[in-house]
Amino acid sequence: MKVSFSNSIENVEWSRMKEIYRSVGWKNHDEEKVKKVFQSSNVVAVAYDENKIVGFGRALSDGVFNAAIYDVVVDGHYQNKGIGQQIIENLLAQLDDISCVHLVSTAGNEEFYRKAGFRKMKTGMARYLNPALEEEYLE
């Protein structure tokens, strides 16, 4: 399998993006929400196996000092093939000049991001409106 990448959402099949979110258990991502979060992101990486989307990631950045990576997701059938690592590498290459890149890992995936060079923050803080997410991610 040869994975190729696009850094554009032009001609993206939004229903396929939604399927990938659902394949990893993220059920609240309907097509409209998926489209909105990607259109609001200024850095994207979409992984393709031939013409089929198999994973993606996105980031928001001020273009100078800070960026935050979100939603690095690989279709459940394509996991453990190095695609997630390639998505992170693609995003970081696009954010090469940014001095600080943040991300929030989903529970259980911290080691994946450590291997990509991320470290735990001393001062990271967050607020969640969803009580279940608050319970999962906050001290």
Side-chain angles (χ1 to χ4, degrees):
M1 171 181 52
K2 173 114 172 72
V3 176
S4 62
F5 282 88
S6 173
N7 297 331
S8 168
I9 57 171
E10 190 174 334
N11 301 319
V12 160
E13 185 183 340
W14 297 110
S15 61
R16 176 65 183 141
M17 302 281 275
K18 180 190 77 174
E19 285 175 21
I20 293 171
Y21 276 112
R22 293 193 178 217
S23 81
V24 298
W26 295 9
K27 307 292 186 204
N28 292 331
H29 291 62
D30 62 36
E31 284 182 44
E32 198 56 42
K33 287 178 184 172
V34 172
K35 187 175 182 179
K36 184 174 182 177
V37 298
F38 273 85
Q39 287 175 333
S40 299
S41 300
N42 51 346
V43 176
V44 299
V46 182
Y48 289 87
D49 178 11
E50 296 189 18
N51 292 326
K52 181 180 183 180
I53 298 172
V54 296
F56 47 76
R58 64 186 187 89
L60 302 173
S61 177
D62 60 20
V64 180
F65 296 115
N66 294 288
I69 292 176
Y70 297 98
D71 299 358
V72 175
V73 184
V74 176
D75 183 297
H77 296 101
Y78 285 83
Q79 291 184 3
N80 300 309
K81 299 179 185 311
I83 297 169
Q85 189 66 38
Q86 290 177 62
I87 292 169
I88 287 290
E89 290 170 4
N90 184 294
L91 292 170
L92 289 174
Q94 293 180 72
L95 298 167
D96 191 42
D97 294 334
I98 306 301
S99 64
C100 181
V101 178
H102 298 93
L103 69 82
V104 176
S105 172
T106 49
N109 290 318
E110 298 88 350
E111 188 57 32
F112 169 80
Y113 293 107
R114 273 192 204 94
K115 288 178 182 175
F118 288 88
R119 295 176 50 200
K120 197 169 193 174
M121 289 180 63
K122 294 179 183 177
T123 59
M125 299 178 134
R127 175 188 72 115
Y128 288 91
L129 295 178
N130 181 324
L133 294 175
E134 183 177 272
E135 179 68 26
E136 183 174 357
Y137 290 108
L138 300 182
E139 294 179 350

